[in-house]
Amino acid sequence: MFPSEIDAAIARLESQKSAWLNVGTQARIDYLKRCMTGVMAVAEDWAISACEAKGTDSVGEEWLTGSVTTLMTLRALIRTLEGRKAKIEQGIAKVFPDNLLDRFLWLGFRGEVLTESSPLNPPQFEPGISLVLGAGNVGSTPPMDLLYKLFAENQVVLLKMNPVNEYVGKFLEQAFEPLITDGFLQIVYGGSDLGSYLCQHPKIDSIHITGSHHTYYAIVQSLPQPKPITSELGCVTPVLIVPGEWSESDLKFQARHVASMVAHNASFNCVAAKLLVTAKGWKLRDRFLTLLRQEFAKIPSRKAYYPGAQQRYQAFLDRYPQAEIFGTRTEDIVPWTLIPNVQDNYALRTEAFCGVLAEVSLDAATATEFLDRAVPFVNEQVWGNLSCVILTKTNVDSAIAELNYGAIGVNVWTGVVYALPDFAWGAYPGNTSDDIQSGQGFVHNGYFLEQPQKSVLYAPFRIFPTPFWFADHRNLANFAKRAAELQITPTWSKFAQVIFEALRG
C-alpha cells in the first residue's frame, strides 16, 4: 500500500475513536449481526482461497478455522451484549456450555475460566487506536482479535494483515464492511517495514501481536516510548499421557487424537502438540507409541507453507538422529516426525512450528507419581505457558490448579479452547517484557471477564462422534457448513443437520 493510504486509514480511525465509545449497545449488536451475514457471504470463497494458498484440499478445516470460528465469536459477543453473564463462584467462571443447544452439541464437555474478578459491565476504556498485527497461520485469528479490541476494550482497530495470509484480507473487508465504512476498522497490507512504521506511529495507542517472541522483542526495542502491548507468542505445547488402565480401543483413539494435534493445519498452530510426556513405568507406553506411529503413517503429508519450516525441521533432524520420519521429505513437505526418548533441552525449549513431535519419558509408573513429576516438569522446563493437554482417566483437579498455562485441555486438544470464544485466550499471567514466553494479556474472552488466569475445557475420555479436529474425519466440509449455518440461525432444525453430518464423520 502507498504511504498516503496508510496515513489516511489512521486519520480515519483517529476521527472516529471517540465516536465508537458513544455507539450504543443495540447499535453494536446490529453491527455484529451485519458482520455475521457478511462472513457467511464470503465463507466458501475464503475456504477455497485458503486451501489454494496452503496447498491442501481440506476445505472443511478451512471453513472451521476461518469463517465458523469467526461466526462463533460474533454470536458470543451478541449474546454478551444482550445481557448474558458468567456464573462466578470462588473465582471460577462457568462459561461453557451456557445454552441448551451447546449442551446437546457438546455432550459431556464443560469449561471454566479461573479469574480473580467479576465481569466488566460495561467495560471502561479511554478512546484510542489499537494496532492488531494479524497472525499468518489461522484465518480466524485476525478477526477474533480485532473484535475483542473493538467490543471488549472499546478501541477502534487498525488491522495489518500478515503477508503469509494477506489473501484473507479481502474477505474480511467484505465481511466487516459496516465497521470499515463507518471508520471503526481499517485493514492495511505490507511487510515488516510497515509493521515497524505502524508500531512506532504516534497515533497508535496500543498493540496486539500474534506471532513469535522474536518479533515481540523487536517491536519493544524499536519503540521510542513504551506502549501497551498484548501478545500471543506460541508455545512448546506438552501433552501429558497419564498412566492408567487403557483398553486397546482407548489407546487407538488417543493415538489418533495426538497425531491429529500435530497434523492439523500442517502443524502450523501455536497449540500444535509438540512434546509428548509419558511415564517410563507405564506398561502400555510402548504400545501407545506403536499406535501413534501407525497413525502418523496413515495421515497424508501436507505442504509446509509457513516460511522457515524446512530450516526449523532440519535443526531438529541435526539434533536428534533417532528421529522417525513418516513420509517423504521434499522441498514443499515436512513429513510427520516423531522423536522418542529426548534427553536434552532443545526440544523442550524450541518450538518447531512444523510437523515434529518430541517425546520425553519421566520416571513414574502410577498416575499420582506421574502427575507429581510432570506438572513441575512442564511448568519449569518446557518453554511457553499458553497451552497444555492432559489425556487421563483419573481425576486431575490438583494438577489443573498447579499448571501454569493459560489454556488447559483435559481429554481435548487446546485448539478447541482457541475456537470456542467464551474462553479467555492467552498465556498464563506473569510473563515480563524481559522473558515474554507465550505473551501477555488475553483476547477472545466472550464474557469480558476481568483478569483471567487460565481457561480449562474438560471432555469425556472418548469423544463421540469423531471430533472435527481429527485428521481422519470423513465428512468435514459438510459438517463445517452446517456448523456455520447453525451460528447464523441457532434453531433445533439446524442443530439436527449438524448432528447428522457429525455422525457421518
Side-chain angles (χ1 to χ4, degrees):
M1 298 180 71
F2 295 109
S4 59
E5 294 177 287
I6 302 298
D7 290 337
I10 295 174
R12 177 74 169 139
L13 292 169
E14 175 74 11
S15 70
Q16 291 298 97
K17 66 181 185 181
S18 296
W20 176 243
L21 294 180
N22 296 318
V23 175
T25 298
Q26 191 55 50
R28 292 185 178 217
I29 291 171
D30 182 62
Y31 276 120
L32 291 165
K33 289 181 176 179
R34 290 161 66 192
C35 289
M36 289 191 78
T37 301
V39 170
M40 197 65 186
V42 302
E44 180 72 18
D45 290 341
W46 180 356
I48 292 171
S49 292
C51 287
E52 292 172 350
K54 296 180 179 182
T56 178
D57 59 0
S58 186
V59 175
E61 181 178 293
E62 294 303 329
W63 264 84
L64 288 165
T65 59
S67 58
V68 174
T69 307
T70 304
L71 288 168
M72 291 167 63
T73 302
L74 291 160
R75 176 62 65 190
L77 291 172
I78 289 170
R79 296 182 64 233
T80 297
L81 292 178
E82 288 176 340
R84 72 165 183 170
K85 292 181 173 63
K87 182 179 180 181
I88 302 177
E89 295 179 354
Q90 298 180 329
I92 299 176
K94 307 293 185 180
V95 299
F96 185 82
D98 76 336
N99 63 81
L100 202 54
L101 281 175
D102 277 347
R103 286 193 181 94
F104 282 100
L105 191 62
W106 297 83
L107 279 174
F109 284 72
R110 63 182 177 90
E112 57 196 31
V113 177
L114 278 64
T115 181
E116 299 299 327
S117 305
S118 59
L120 298 171
N121 188 27
Q124 301 292 326
F125 290 92
E126 296 296 323
I129 301 175
S130 178
L131 170 64
V132 173
L133 298 172
N137 56 339
V138 177
S140 59
T141 302
M144 292 177 82
D145 292 347
L146 74 85
L147 286 167
Y148 185 74
K149 293 296 178 180
L150 266 168
F151 288 88
E153 296 189 358
N154 267 331
Q155 292 196 322
V156 294
V157 173
L158 180 66
L159 169 64
K160 189 194 89 67
M161 296 302 299
N162 191 299
V164 177
N165 66 353
E166 69 176 19
Y167 61 87
V168 176
K170 65 182 179 182
F171 302 114
L172 298 182
E173 288 178 6
Q174 296 175 63
F176 291 89
E177 183 273 333
L179 291 167
I180 293 172
T181 297
D182 290 351
F184 303 130
L185 167 67
Q186 300 286 283
I187 301 176
V188 296
Y189 305 84
S192 58
D193 289 347
L194 174 60
S196 178
Y197 171 77
L198 294 174
C199 288
Q200 298 175 45
H201 198 288
K203 297 296 185 182
I204 296 297
D205 299 292
S206 68
I207 301 167
H208 178 75
I209 173 177
T210 302
S212 78
H213 56 293
H214 302 295
T215 303
Y216 170 86
Y217 287 129
I219 291 172
V220 170
Q221 293 166 9
S222 73
L223 295 177
Q225 57 188 24
K227 293 182 181 183
I229 303 176
T230 53
S231 52
E232 192 264 83
L233 307 173
C235 184
V236 176
T237 294
V239 181
L240 279 54
I241 308 296
V242 181
E245 295 295 329
W246 294 16
S247 67
E248 179 72 3
S249 59
D250 290 338
L251 292 166
K252 289 181 178 178
F253 179 87
Q254 297 300 356
R256 289 169 63 204
H257 201 171
V258 172
S260 297
M261 296 180 203
V262 177
H264 188 275
N265 195 29
S267 211
F268 298 120
N269 289 323
C270 56
V271 293
K274 285 290 154 257
L275 183 68
L276 194 64
V277 184
T278 62
K280 195 171 295 183
W282 185 36
K283 63 183 179 180
L284 298 174
R285 172 178 171 267
D286 289 344
R287 180 58 181 163
F288 178 77
L289 292 176
T290 295
L291 292 170
L292 180 59
R293 293 179 178 101
Q294 292 175 8
E295 292 302 322
F296 278 136
K298 292 177 188 176
I299 300 174
S301 297
R302 294 182 61 164
K303 179 181 178 181
Y305 69 87
Y306 208 88
Q310 293 286 356
Q311 292 85 349
R312 292 189 297 273
Y313 181 57
Q314 188 61 49
F316 273 79
L317 293 185
D318 292 343
R319 177 76 61 154
Y320 299 110
Q322 76 268 36
E324 302 173 15
I325 300 171
F326 303 90
T328 303
R329 184 183 185 184
T330 70
E331 289 185 0
D332 290 332
I333 290 174
V334 168
W336 315 126
T337 300
L338 175 66
I339 305 175
N341 297 308
V342 165
Q343 300 293 327
D344 69 352
N345 286 331
Y346 184 79
L348 312 184
R349 309 296 302 174
T350 307
E351 185 181 13
F353 213 63
C354 63
V356 170
L357 176 67
E359 185 254 356
V360 62
S361 189
L362 305 181
D363 287 324
T366 68
T368 300
E369 290 174 346
F370 176 76
L371 291 169
D372 286 346
R373 289 165 173 77
V375 171
F377 172 77
V378 297
N379 278 347
E380 299 164 12
Q381 298 188 46
V382 179
W383 181 84
N385 47 17
L386 173 69
S387 160
C388 177
V389 178
I390 306 177
L391 302 181
T392 181
K393 281 190 163 185
T394 61
N395 185 289
V396 290
D397 287 350
S398 60
I400 297 298
E402 295 173 12
L403 280 167
N404 296 336
Y405 285 87
I408 301 170
V410 180
N411 295 325
V412 59
W413 179 42
T414 39
V416 183
V417 181
Y418 162 89
L420 293 172
D422 294 334
F423 291 96
W425 183 252
Y428 188 81
N431 296 331
T432 67
S433 57
D434 294 328
D435 183 20
I436 195 62
Q437 296 279 316
S438 295
Q440 296 171 322
F442 286 85
V443 288
H444 303 189
N445 194 17
Y447 285 92
F448 303 163
L449 298 170
E450 188 177 0
Q451 297 181 342
Q453 183 189 68
K454 65 179 80 169
S455 297
V456 187
L457 178 60
Y458 299 84
F461 184 73
R462 294 274 293 277
I463 303 167
F464 178 83
T466 300
F468 60 80
W469 58 95
F470 271 38
D472 58 358
H473 197 288
R474 296 175 296 183
N475 191 41
L476 199 58
N478 289 329
F479 168 81
K481 292 172 185 178
R482 300 296 88 77
E485 292 168 359
L486 179 64
Q487 294 303 313
I488 296 293
T489 312
T491 63
W492 286 107
S493 61
K494 294 295 184 182
F495 167 86
Q497 293 174 28
V498 171
I499 296 301
F500 175 76
E501 301 297 353
L503 291 171
R504 297 172 63 200

